[in-house]
Amino acid sequence: MTSVEENPFAALLQEGANDDGVSHKLVEEVLLFTLNKASTSAALCLADVVVDTSEETLSEDLVAHALFERLMLAETSQYAGGNSSAEAIELRAMCYLRGAFARCERIQAERKTDCSKVLALILNNASTCMRQPDLFAPQSFGAQWMEMFEQADEHDTSTQEFLIRVACKVMEEVDPIEALGALKAIFYPVLTDLQKVIAKENLITMKKNAFWILGFFVRDKRAAVLGELLIDFTTPNPKAKGGEYMDTLLGSLLCISILPKTQTAKYEFFQELSLNQTDPALWALLSHHQQSIFLLVKQLLVLSPETKKKTLQWLANCLDANVSRGHLWSNININLNQTVHSTASDAFMTSLSAVLARLCAPLCLPSLKVLLVDPTYCAVPDKDRQAKSVSMLKAHDETCLLTSEDGEERLTAEKYNFVTEIFYMTHKCFELANRPCIERLVRVMRELQNTQTAYGEVLNSDPNNELTKNLYRMIIEQMQEVLCIKNTLSEPTNDTFLLKFFEASAVWLTEIAMLPRETYEQCVDKRDFSPQIFRNLELLSDTPPFVAPYLQSVPESIIDNISAYLNFCRRLNGDQYIHIYFSAHDAFFKMILLFMGSSVLVKNPHLRAKLAEALEFLLPTQIMGSNRQTFATHVFDSHTDRFKVVRSLLNVFVSIEMTGQSVQFEQKFNYRRPMYAIMEFLWTKPEHVQCFRDLATEAEQNMEAIEPPIFLRFINLLINDAIFLLDDSLSNLEQIKQLQQAQENGEWNSLSHNERQQQVSNLQHLGMLARFDNLIAKDTINLLKLLTTEIKSIFCHNSMVDRMAAMLNYFLLNLVGPKKERFKVKNKKEFDFDPAQTVLEISHIYINLSSDDSFCLAVSQDGRSYSEQLFSYAENILIRIGGGQLIGEVSELAVKVARLGAQYKEEQELLADAPEEYLDPIISTLMTDPVVLPSSKVTVDRSTIARHLLSDQTDPFNREPLTMDKVKSNEALKQEIESWIEGKREAARSKS
């Protein structure tokens, strides 16, 4: 036995006898060293380093000193016996302590032995290593942890437990800020190395162990500090640009996708030539990768209030830094945008969108927690964000469904829950991620089409030309880009999450718009405006009886996103989920009906028009220009609110024309195209045809209402559109014919190269305009044909009949008359010009309205286009185009029109010398129902002013506001005119 003077550790031996101490045998089994030279165990013998003792129980202090000495050994093999294990001679301190921890836990579990004192010593020393790594230089504890993480598997829980207990010990021993700093000093290098590895991977080479390693930081709430460390590591500085988020650890994971990591990188996948190609294996990899990121982010959100707050802040700051992706110019000029690294790539943003959509799963059916989303979130000003738990930046600046007065303070809730935060963030992310990608896809597909056309032309003339090879290369590259974007956006798992999220959003929109007034008043008292329960109220009118003021805080982008998603589905064959997911049909249908037709709920007519396009997606028929297959749905046949669809459609059709809600000409017709398709489909359903009839009846009963009836305004616009489109088309076709003839006659040969290019460009431009006009005109005329089969009297009303007759006469004359050759262009199909079909449709409209005498009279009185030969021309053409069955009815119409015309002419000659005051001042015809305009005091015929007010609600003589109910009948003048007419007739009868 060594004396105290010779070895200071000897004094500690005496303490071992006075307290419980630690079993020497346990030390040998767990710490793998002994202080007994005579021991036969496989442990290291540290008797010479510490003290030599054969005591069975050692004091805690002695074991502590011995353990510390063991950790400080620079070389262990000299203390090893012949049978010492690799674990016993382990030099790396943290690996050694982790092994000791695992052995301690095993012994405790198997033998129920109390190992708490040894365990405490292990953790104390591990904590010392973490806080004072310099003591153990040149060891790298970061590298040791990394190795332990990599070697652990799902059956090995001790590495995770060891990490948690060590982190907790560090937190116990020093203040939180110092503890976090110590942990960061060890783990930041680990995470840096991991990020470097991830940055080199792609979707195929990405190893799952990266997520496994990151999982150690977020798996256990006891050591939430590790999650905080992770989110701090992956957070760039607060003023970071959008692109800088890609350079973070989480960003490097989000960048791994089917799309290139950066906007300027090359596309890696789909190098084969096939436009309908999908790759289920790639989809599986993408889905698995995005699911792994989602689980990581979800763990950060549930780990602790601090990690939740920091993670939400990361998401909010990232969205704010990338807000310029939503601006139109960034979708077009993406390369310029990326040179300054100002926004994140499509790969990063679409992955983030996929992660957020997964986080929203509890908001969707069946749990429908979306009903806890508060619609006033975007009303919170910046100064109140922190107090009300609002993470998103600049939410206050969102464009909302209804506008608020300048300076008006909008309603806000007391506080906002997590469900509300994640709902708005997911919508914002879809707006900044998926929508720009969809727009880019459409643009690249258009470019690809143009390149293919150019390639086809060049290939025929000179297949070995350098230009031909370049164009082929461009086709390959553009095709690859199309396939990569398409496959990223239509990955089935993510598509299902998005579909369910948008269904939930549609339910939420409907619920907040239809909230009863009494419920809203309770919400004001509670300062919580979320709908809470699913009421599913029926749509009883165009607009709900009560419109809650909080619609001034609901962003337009929510409706815009739903429309963009449905319209994207039409462009792909990737609509397999919405096909079978019937509850989504109901939710979308009801939301669209409610918002599409009501300017009281949605101020922006563009947005309501987009909803009409989204409604077209739900048609159970093939859609023109769409890859969507025929669609199984029951909404138009059995949905309880289906009878609102016709009125809602007419409302939006009219609203995109009305003063103050006007939209650009070409855009207006693009918006109307899907509306025509829906109406054409509805005409195949008797109950929807009845809705059209009811609206026509309602219009006839209210022709002089303050606001013209919706159906009257609708048919007025239809006639306006038809006149404009066919006129514009014929004008363009005439110019195209002239250019084609000049080209054929060799007139272009004398032109310079630039002038010739200009003529080619003019021809292409006119062709594009003519095609556009013809497509929409075809739909407009077809709809007029359908409407006039069932509804006649309103088209023959005195305010409408002259325009209807003049329009039909003008187009029939141009298409069948002597001047029809002016429009005979080459390649009519190229311009979608089908004069034969148009003549047939126009003939049907004539026949549909021929039973009404006022219509036939109006046809005969059109001095611009009508002549007695008009219908003879038509009959000649009908024979040639297969319309022979209509000739009999057209002949009867011609006879009737001529007879009524002759009678009217006779009468007009009789009344030719009418006094000036009996004539309408606008169209100079004899008035039959004179009325006085209130502000200008001018007397005009009732039918003239009614027609004028359909498109311009002002007095034509002084531009003062005017509605039909304000005009006053001039009974005295009416009787005077009637007496004068009767006198003339009497005189004529006496004469004859």
Side-chain angles (χ1 to χ4, degrees):
M1 193 103 174
T2 315
S3 71
V4 175
E5 287 79 17
E6 288 175 4
N7 188 339
F9 291 120
L12 298 173
L13 289 172
Q14 291 153 15
E15 288 176 22
N18 302 331
D19 60 19
D20 297 338
V22 179
S23 158
H24 202 150
K25 186 170 182 358
L26 187 63
V27 169
E28 289 176 358
E29 285 185 85
V30 172
L31 300 177
L32 302 183
F33 65 74
T34 181
L35 300 181
N36 183 1
K37 282 184 177 175
S39 171
T40 58
S41 77
L44 296 188
C45 180
L46 300 185
D48 293 339
V49 179
V50 185
V51 66
D52 182 15
T53 176
S54 57
E55 296 282 346
E56 286 184 11
T57 303
L58 306 174
S59 75
E60 266 187 80
D61 282 353
L62 178 60
V63 178
H65 283 293
L67 178 55
F68 185 73
E69 289 295 326
R70 161 68 182 83
L71 294 172
M72 297 300 287
L73 291 175
E75 183 54 61
T76 52
S77 51
Q78 67 193 73
Y79 305 104
N83 56 350
S84 291
S85 64
E87 289 171 303
I89 61 171
E90 174 62 74
L91 272 169
R92 295 166 303 172
M94 201 60 74
C95 297
Y96 164 74
L97 288 170
R98 181 246 166 232
F101 177 84
R103 290 187 290 276
C104 193
E105 281 208 313
R106 190 177 66 248
I107 290 167
Q108 200 161 277
E110 288 171 1
R111 303 183 202 161
K112 306 291 183 252
T113 309
D114 180 14
C115 302
S116 56
K117 290 177 182 173
V118 179
L119 200 57
L121 290 172
I122 293 167
L123 294 173
N124 279 336
N125 279 276
S127 172
T128 304
C129 291
M130 298 295 282
R131 288 182 293 104
Q132 297 172 283
D134 293 350
L135 284 175
F136 303 90
Q139 290 195 46
S140 164
F141 293 130
Q144 291 175 34
W145 278 111
M146 184 65 136
E147 189 176 314
M148 287 188 272
F149 293 157
E150 286 177 331
Q151 287 174 352
D153 58 34
E154 53 266 33
H155 307 298
D156 165 22
T157 55
S158 66
T159 302
Q160 179 74 59
E161 187 61 24
F162 179 57
L163 173 67
I164 299 307
R165 299 282 284 274
V166 170
C168 291
K169 190 68 184 168
V170 172
M171 293 298 290
E172 276 172 35
E173 294 188 344
V174 289
D175 72 78
I177 294 172
E178 193 181 328
L180 185 58
L183 291 169
K184 283 180 177 179
I186 300 296
F187 288 119
Y188 270 22
V190 173
L191 296 172
T192 302
D193 290 344
L194 183 61
Q195 187 179 334
K196 284 176 185 169
V197 171
I198 293 167
K200 292 174 185 168
E201 305 295 347
N202 69 16
L203 206 50
I204 292 171
T205 61
M206 178 69 189
K207 300 174 186 69
K208 68 176 183 181
N209 79 327
F211 289 107
W212 171 253
I213 292 165
L214 291 170
F216 282 100
F217 294 85
V218 294
R219 282 194 200 108
D220 202 304
K221 291 184 179 184
R222 288 172 296 164
V225 64
L226 294 171
E228 198 179 331
L229 175 155
L230 178 60
I231 192 68
D232 284 351
F233 176 76
T234 198
T235 301
N237 75 67
K239 291 185 179 173
K241 289 178 181 171
E244 288 169 47
Y245 279 82
M246 297 195 295
D247 302 330
T248 64
L249 174 58
L250 186 52
S252 60
L253 288 168
L254 290 166
C255 284
I256 294 174
S257 167
I258 294 172
L259 291 167
K261 290 185 182 183
T262 65
Q263 214 67 34
T264 50
K266 286 195 180 306
Y267 288 85
E268 294 179 79
F269 305 106
F270 297 105
Q271 294 173 1
E272 302 298 314
L273 272 176
S274 164
L275 252 186
N276 296 320
Q277 194 176 340
T278 57
D279 189 334
L282 261 187
W283 273 350
L285 289 170
L286 182 64
S287 171
H288 182 269
H289 181 69
Q290 289 174 344
Q291 180 70 10
S292 301
I293 305 174
F294 153 68
L295 292 171
L296 178 65
V297 173
K298 182 185 172 189
Q299 280 303 111
L300 283 167
L301 287 165
V302 300
L303 203 56
S304 74
E306 193 59 29
T307 58
K308 178 181 177 179
K309 181 183 166 188
K310 287 185 173 183
T311 306
L312 284 172
Q313 208 52 63
W314 191 97
L315 293 167
N317 289 345
C318 176
L319 293 173
D320 183 57
N322 284 292
V323 80
S324 63
R325 279 181 57 92
H327 301 162
L328 282 172
W329 61 267
S330 70
N331 303 326
I332 299 157
N333 209 354
I334 194 68
N335 292 327
L336 174 68
N337 189 25
Q338 287 301 319
T339 51
V340 287
H341 203 48
S342 64
T343 62
S345 64
D346 288 348
F348 174 100
M349 291 302 291
T350 49
S351 295
L352 184 59
S353 173
V355 169
L356 289 172
R358 283 165 166 81
L359 283 170
C360 287
L363 280 68
C364 308
L365 285 166
S367 54
L368 217 55
K369 284 190 179 171
V370 75
L371 297 171
L372 302 176
V373 170
D374 195 299
T376 64
Y377 184 80
C378 292
V380 179
D382 274 351
K383 61 183 174 61
D384 299 338
R385 271 182 49 235
Q386 209 162 354
K388 291 181 180 286
S389 305
V390 170
S391 303
M392 264 180 78
L393 285 80
K394 303 190 185 76
H396 190 261
D397 300 335
E398 289 286 329
T399 305
C400 296
L401 298 181
L402 299 179
T403 51
S404 53
E405 296 299 317
D406 284 347
E408 182 187 347
E409 197 163 314
R410 294 178 286 175
L411 285 162
T412 57
E414 190 69 40
K415 261 200 165 161
Y416 295 91
N417 54 26
F418 172 74
V419 167
T420 300
E421 290 249 80
I422 209 69
F423 174 82
Y424 284 96
M425 282 185 184
T426 306
H427 270 292
K428 191 68 188 171
C429 191
F430 186 88
E431 179 193 344
L432 300 179
N434 300 54
R435 270 169 52 195
C437 274
I438 292 167
E439 285 169 29
R440 194 159 302 133
L441 176 64
V442 173
R443 184 168 55 83
V444 178
M445 285 176 81
R446 202 177 297 129
E447 286 170 4
L448 174 61
Q449 208 171 0
N450 294 340
T451 312
Q452 285 173 323
T453 306
Y455 177 70
E457 288 170 3
V458 177
L459 190 65
N460 293 333
S461 57
D462 190 354
N464 298 317
N465 186 327
E466 196 58 39
L467 175 62
T468 315
K469 291 172 186 170
N470 286 340
L471 285 171
Y472 182 74
R473 233 184 341 264
M474 277 173 70
I475 287 174
I476 300 285
E477 287 168 8
Q478 288 169 346
M479 187 98 65
Q480 193 180 5
E481 188 174 350
V482 164
L483 289 171
C484 286
I485 299 174
K486 250 178 153 179
N487 278 271
T488 303
L489 292 175
S490 58
E491 187 280 305
T493 312
N494 190 43
D495 188 50
T496 307
F497 278 114
L498 278 175
L499 168 61
K500 291 185 176 181
F501 173 64
F502 286 132
E503 177 196 12
S505 301
V507 168
W508 178 80
L509 281 165
T510 308
E511 290 296 320
I512 61 163
M514 297 189 70
L515 198 75
R517 183 187 291 274
E518 57 275 19
T519 313
Y520 169 76
E521 285 163 0
Q522 291 164 13
C523 291
V524 175
D525 295 338
K526 289 187 296 181
R527 302 282 302 280
D528 177 356
F529 298 90
S530 58
Q532 304 281 335
I533 56 170
F534 184 44
R535 293 174 179 81
N536 200 20
L537 301 172
E538 196 178 335
L539 306 181
L540 297 172
S541 59
D542 295 353
T543 297
F546 168 70
V547 176
Y550 55 50
L551 287 180
Q552 296 175 348
S553 306
V554 176
E556 284 187 352
S557 58
I558 296 177
I559 288 181
D560 228 338
N561 287 343
I562 295 172
S563 302
Y565 172 75
L566 290 174
N567 289 328
F568 170 67
C569 287
R570 82 162 59 230
R571 292 198 178 98
L572 291 187
N573 302 327
D575 52 15
Q576 59 269 47
Y577 295 97
I578 194 166
H579 248 309
I580 54 176
Y581 200 58
F582 284 105
S583 69
H585 301 185
D586 289 339
F588 290 137
F589 187 69
K590 185 168 186 173
M591 185 276 288
I592 290 168
L593 287 192
L594 177 61
F595 287 92
M596 178 176 72
S598 174
S599 58
V600 178
L601 294 175
V602 182
K603 204 77 182 155
N604 182 351
H606 295 266
L607 196 56
R608 299 207 306 282
K610 286 179 186 175
L611 283 172
E613 208 175 346
L615 181 62
E616 188 196 12
F617 179 80
L618 291 174
L619 291 184
T621 53
Q622 184 64 41
I623 301 175
M624 186 180 80
S626 168
N627 291 329
R628 200 213 65 181
Q629 306 305 303
T630 50
F631 194 75
T633 188
H634 56 266
V635 287
F636 292 96
D637 296 317
S638 60
H639 195 285
T640 51
D641 299 308
R642 67 190 180 282
F643 299 116
K644 298 286 180 293
V645 71
V646 174
R647 185 183 287 271
S648 190
L649 261 179
L650 299 198
N651 272 326
V652 70
F653 189 97
V654 168
S655 73
I656 56 175
E657 182 84 34
M658 295 307 290
T659 313
Q661 297 205 326
S662 57
V663 295
Q664 284 184 339
F665 156 74
E666 190 175 332
Q667 197 172 31
K668 174 178 83 174
F669 287 114
N670 278 329
Y671 284 155
R672 288 203 177 146
R673 188 203 50 72
M675 297 179 205
Y676 288 134
I678 299 165
M679 289 186 217
E680 205 172 308
F681 165 73
L682 292 174
W683 206 259
T684 64
K685 305 279 177 185
E687 59 183 11
H688 290 296
V689 172
Q690 188 57 47
C691 292
F692 279 104
R693 279 202 210 99
D694 294 344
L695 286 169
T697 306
E698 181 190 305
E700 287 185 72
Q701 291 165 356
N702 296 279
M703 292 297 272
E704 297 190 6
I706 298 177
E707 188 170 320
I710 189 71
F711 194 81
L712 183 63
R713 285 188 288 159
F714 165 62
I715 61 170
N716 182 54
L717 290 176
L718 268 187
I719 294 169
N720 284 352
D721 285 358
I723 291 169
F724 176 84
L725 289 162
L726 279 168
D727 212 11
D728 201 46
S729 162
L730 294 176
S731 166
N732 288 326
L733 289 166
E734 194 171 356
Q735 291 179 67
I736 288 167
K737 178 162 187 187
Q738 289 166 4
L739 284 169
Q740 286 179 342
Q741 279 182 335
Q743 189 180 15
E744 264 182 30
N745 299 340
E747 290 171 32
W748 288 14
N749 297 344
S750 59
L751 299 177
S752 69
H753 177 71
N754 285 350
E755 286 172 328
R756 205 158 45 242
Q757 286 297 102
Q758 185 59 50
Q759 293 292 66
V760 170
S761 177
N762 289 346
L763 190 56
Q764 284 177 340
H765 181 65
L766 284 167
M768 190 179 70
L769 292 177
R771 184 172 182 276
F772 179 81
D773 287 339
N774 288 327
L775 280 170
I776 307 293
K778 202 182 293 179
D779 288 338
T780 312
I781 295 290
N782 181 49
L783 188 55
L784 280 168
K785 183 194 81 175
L786 293 176
L787 289 168
T788 53
T789 54
E790 296 286 340
I791 299 162
K792 304 179 196 304
S793 57
I794 195 163
F795 288 99
C796 302
H797 188 273
N798 60 9
S799 64
M800 194 63 69
V801 70
D802 289 341
R803 293 179 64 238
M804 189 71 182
M807 176 194 77
L808 294 171
N809 289 347
Y810 175 68
F811 292 120
L812 191 63
L813 178 64
N814 274 292
L815 294 170
V816 302
K819 295 180 179 176
K820 62 180 184 293
E821 296 300 317
R822 287 184 304 167
F823 316 113
K824 201 167 184 181
V825 293
K826 288 195 298 181
N827 307 327
K828 280 189 288 194
K829 278 190 178 172
E830 189 185 324
F831 311 114
D832 275 289
F833 181 45
D834 189 352
Q837 185 60 32
T838 309
V839 169
L840 285 171
E841 305 263 285
I842 288 173
S843 300
H844 276 292
I845 298 171
Y846 272 116
I847 292 162
N848 289 343
L849 299 176
S850 62
S851 58
D852 193 293
D853 286 359
S854 60
F855 171 72
C856 295
L857 177 60
V859 169
S860 74
Q861 295 312 299
D862 168 31
R864 181 187 181 194
S865 308
Y866 176 73
S867 69
E868 289 184 0
Q869 293 81 38
L870 179 63
F871 292 111
S872 306
Y873 297 144
E875 287 169 24
N876 293 337
I877 298 293
L878 286 170
I879 292 166
R880 296 198 336 238
I881 62 174
Q885 73 278 13
L886 300 176
I887 289 174
E889 290 172 286
V890 170
S891 298
E892 284 174 27
L893 170 67
V895 171
K896 186 175 180 180
V897 167
R899 177 172 51 78
L900 288 169
Q903 287 173 4
Y904 185 74
K905 185 181 177 189
E906 199 177 300
E907 178 131 320
Q908 286 306 295
E909 284 169 358
L910 185 68
L911 306 174
D913 58 343
E916 185 73 28
E917 63 270 22
Y918 292 179
L919 300 179
D920 182 286
I922 296 177
I923 56 172
S924 297
T925 56
L926 186 66
M927 293 186 283
T928 55
D929 188 0
V931 293
V932 180
L933 307 184
S935 60
S936 63
K937 306 298 183 199
V938 176
T939 298
V940 295
D941 195 68
R942 186 182 294 275
S943 64
T944 307
I945 195 64
R947 190 158 58 240
H948 166 79
L949 290 178
L950 276 174
S951 49
D952 184 355
Q953 295 192 317
T954 62
D955 185 321
F957 299 97
N958 63 8
R959 314 308 296 161
E960 290 289 316
L962 177 64
T963 51
M964 234 7 237
D965 64 311
K966 297 285 190 299
V967 303
K968 295 277 187 289
S969 285
N970 191 336
E971 288 297 333
L973 182 60
K974 184 178 182 182
Q975 284 176 9
E976 197 180 313
I977 293 170
E978 284 173 354
S979 300
W980 181 80
I981 292 171
E982 192 49 47
K984 284 283 185 183
R985 284 176 179 157
E986 189 59 43
R989 278 196 292 272
S990 303
K991 201 173 179 181
S992 64

